[in-house]
């Protein structure tokens, strides 16, 4: 198939990508077996509900319930989540806020990129935008203004607005309020950190197309998580090793990172500890222009491989790396860059403490 062809090409031209492709090919084999996917979805959903992470609108996320008795190899039956894709809602949010600030798309000649730049400047978004608490303060202020506008509209509509020919004032619903981008990223990191480090059963493909946003019209955005065709399971011992690696990365403990990588089974020709440390940081923790020397993450990883060719990459953590990279990419896109290791540190610490390692 296509993956096998790409893998053969990489064996010659870009060997650094062979190990990830092997893992992706293995996971892809189950992608269209909907009986298996329904079982994986059911397991992840139950784990998340048991942890009080998934459920009704008061929880961090909603995960659809599969109807196992109705699923076949070619048909997946599950509850519907009423919401739009996250990317769609983020674009809608940008449009609403730029219109609120009198910066409509028409003003920029239909150039969405220019409107995004204006939006970024108006909200003082740098590499990292407002924190979750700062967003909440802004949302509360705008909600108070919204309620005042609606109160005035009510008075107007039931007085002056009753005069024939008079145009009635429109009301603003809660969908006009900004979405808390910082909380979205923090919630996604917490959800997937728990799946990887606590449950050892996680969605290895949490790209933006698999993330919905529910409850926007009610002013109570909630993540909706779908598509569990690429679920990865790791053993307890593999979880504990990864917890040690996350803790070492969060503490910037180079010796601890190298030790955990060796324990995980990482092998290279030279076993250069500087390169091992940098590899772990980019693969599992963070990426920025300083760390990657201004290069695209893929190109940078290829250069690391050229400096000290990898002979064995821990297959069990490849999809964990993919989760980290995908969530970081989404964070970068909404100006909410994160260190995954620091976000996952409390989870890893709790797991290790419960196992008597701390």
């Amino acid at each position: 198939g296509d993956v096998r062809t790409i893998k053969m090409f990489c064996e010659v031209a870009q060997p650094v990508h062979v190990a990830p492709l092997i893992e992706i090919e293995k996971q892809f084999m189950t992608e269209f077996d909907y009986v298996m996917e329904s079982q994986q979805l059911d397991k992840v959903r139950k784990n998340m509900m048991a942890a009080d992470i998934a459920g009704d609108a008061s929880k961090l996320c909603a995960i659809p319930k599969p109807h196992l008795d109705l699923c076949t190899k070619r048909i997946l039956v599950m509850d519907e989540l009423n919401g739009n894709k996250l990317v769609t809602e983020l674009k809608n949010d940008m449009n609403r806020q730029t219109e609120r600030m009198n910066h409509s798309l028409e003003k920029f000649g239909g150039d969405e990129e220019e409107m995004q730049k204006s939006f970024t400047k108006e909200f003082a978004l740098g590499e990292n935008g407002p924190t979750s608490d700062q967003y909440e303060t802004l949302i509360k202020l705008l909600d108070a203004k919204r309620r005042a506008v609606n109160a005035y509209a009510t008075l107007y509509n039931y007085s002056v607005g009753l005069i024939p020919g008079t145009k009635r004032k429109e009301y603003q619903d809660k969908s006009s309020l900004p979405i808390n981008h910082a909380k979205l990223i923090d919630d996604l990191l917490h959800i997937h950190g728990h799946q990887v480090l606590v449950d050892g059963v996680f969605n290895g493909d949490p790209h933006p197309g698999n993330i919905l946003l529910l409850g926007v019209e009610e002013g109570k955005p909630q993540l909706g998580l779908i598509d569990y065709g690429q679920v990865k399971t790791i053993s307890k011992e593999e979880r504990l090793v990864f917890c040690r690696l996350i803790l070492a990365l969060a503490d910037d403990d180079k010796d601890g990172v190298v030790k955990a990588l060796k324990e995980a089974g990482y092998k290279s020709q030279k076993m250069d500890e500087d390169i091992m440390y940098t590899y772990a940081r980019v693969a599992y923790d963070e990426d920025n222009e300083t760390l990657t020397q201004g290069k695209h993450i893929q190109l940078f990883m290829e250069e690391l491989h050229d400096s000290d060719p990898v002979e064995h990459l821990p297959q069990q953590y490849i999809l964990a790396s993919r989760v980290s990279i995908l969530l970081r990419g989404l964070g970068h896109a909404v100006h909410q860059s994160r260190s995954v290791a620091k976000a996952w540190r409390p989870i890893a610490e709790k797991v290790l403490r419960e196992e008597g390692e701390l």
Side-chain angles (χ1 to χ4, degrees):
D2 293 340
V3 176
R4 189 176 293 109
T5 302
I6 296 170
K7 187 175 68 175
M8 291 172 63
F9 169 79
C10 287
E11 286 172 350
V12 177
Q14 297 176 313
V16 68
H17 299 305
V18 173
L21 283 169
I22 291 173
E23 180 66 15
I24 289 170
E25 182 181 31
K26 184 169 67 175
Q27 292 293 135
F28 195 71
M29 296 295 287
T30 66
E31 179 77 16
F32 300 109
D33 182 344
Y34 291 130
V35 170
M36 183 175 290
E37 178 170 345
S38 68
Q39 293 168 348
Q40 293 172 165
L41 168 59
D42 188 54
K43 188 169 187 178
V44 172
R45 179 176 179 272
K46 286 178 177 176
N47 285 342
M48 292 288 93
M49 292 183 71
D52 208 30
I53 291 174
D56 60 28
S58 67
K59 308 304 180 186
L60 293 187
C61 69
I63 299 175
K65 177 183 177 180
H67 295 271
L68 302 179
D69 57 324
L70 299 177
C71 295
T72 70
K73 192 166 184 178
R74 296 188 178 183
I75 300 174
L76 176 61
V77 181
M78 59 185 175
D79 288 347
E80 180 183 9
L81 296 184
N82 294 311
N84 291 320
K85 288 188 177 182
L86 177 60
V87 172
T88 299
E89 287 297 352
L90 289 174
K91 286 183 177 180
N92 291 341
D93 182 53
M94 182 179 71
N95 290 334
R96 285 192 298 268
Q97 302 318 313
T98 49
E99 284 177 9
R100 180 178 61 79
M101 298 180 294
N102 250 348
H103 290 179
S104 66
L105 185 59
E106 287 74 18
K107 176 180 176 180
F108 297 96
D111 191 330
E112 191 171 304
E113 184 176 343
E114 284 302 312
M115 187 172 77
Q116 171 68 46
K117 288 179 181 178
S118 176
F119 180 77
T120 300
K121 182 178 179 182
E122 193 79 29
F123 272 89
L125 302 180
E127 182 177 344
N128 267 331
T131 64
S132 181
D133 288 343
Q134 288 170 335
Y135 260 115
E136 286 303 313
T137 298
L138 172 64
I139 291 169
K140 286 177 181 177
L141 288 172
L142 292 176
D143 192 36
K145 181 180 177 181
R146 179 190 69 84
R147 284 184 276 114
V149 167
N150 286 347
Y152 172 75
T154 299
L155 289 173
Y156 181 91
N157 290 340
Y158 285 93
S159 56
V160 178
L162 296 175
I163 299 173
T166 302
K167 186 177 180 180
R168 294 169 66 85
K169 299 285 186 183
E170 293 184 357
Y171 295 100
Q172 296 179 7
D173 61 30
K174 287 192 173 183
S175 68
S176 64
L177 300 174
I179 292 171
N180 188 332
H181 297 178
K183 186 176 185 301
L184 289 180
I185 299 303
D186 292 338
D187 288 352
L188 282 168
L189 285 169
H190 180 74
I191 291 163
H192 290 88
H194 191 282
Q195 289 182 11
V196 174
L197 302 175
V198 178
D199 300 328
V201 181
F202 61 94
N203 181 9
D205 194 28
H207 63 76
N210 289 340
I211 303 170
L212 308 180
L213 200 58
L214 323 175
V216 174
E217 290 186 1
E218 294 79 16
K220 295 180 180 179
Q222 180 194 32
L223 294 163
L225 306 179
I226 60 173
D227 193 346
Y228 286 82
Q230 292 195 36
V231 168
K232 176 70 176 177
T233 300
I234 57 177
S235 69
K236 178 180 177 180
E237 184 51 43
E238 289 166 345
R239 281 194 298 111
L240 295 180
V241 170
F242 198 59
C243 283
R244 294 180 204 120
L245 177 60
I246 289 297
L247 211 59
L249 284 167
D251 293 342
D252 199 19
D253 176 5
K254 179 181 174 182
D255 291 340
V257 170
V258 170
K259 181 180 178 182
L261 267 188
K262 289 179 178 177
E263 195 175 357
Y266 178 97
K267 292 181 181 178
S268 64
Q269 284 186 7
K270 303 174 185 176
M271 292 299 281
D272 185 306
E273 294 190 354
D274 289 331
I275 290 178
M276 291 173 68
Y277 173 75
T278 303
Y279 165 80
R281 176 138 329 261
V282 176
Y284 305 114
D285 181 23
E286 63 179 344
D287 58 278
N288 53 59
E289 288 196 355
T290 301
L291 184 59
T292 61
Q293 301 170 8
K295 299 167 186 171
H296 186 278
I297 186 172
Q298 179 177 322
L299 177 61
F300 183 72
M301 293 296 267
E302 288 171 4
E303 290 185 359
L304 285 181
H305 177 80
D306 291 340
S307 299
D308 184 10
V310 176
E311 295 179 340
H312 182 264
L313 205 58
Q315 292 283 324
Q316 66 272 32
Y317 303 124
I318 286 173
L319 287 187
S321 171
R322 177 172 167 77
V323 169
S324 173
I325 290 170
L326 284 172
L327 295 182
R328 276 184 271 156
L330 179 57
H332 294 328
V334 296
H335 301 275
Q336 293 293 328
S337 299
R338 295 287 188 275
S339 159
V340 173
K342 288 178 181 175
W344 287 0
R345 189 187 198 285
I347 304 173
E349 194 173 41
K350 184 174 184 291
V351 170
L352 293 175
R353 185 177 292 113
E354 289 174 352
E355 292 298 321
E357 293 197 21
L358 292 180

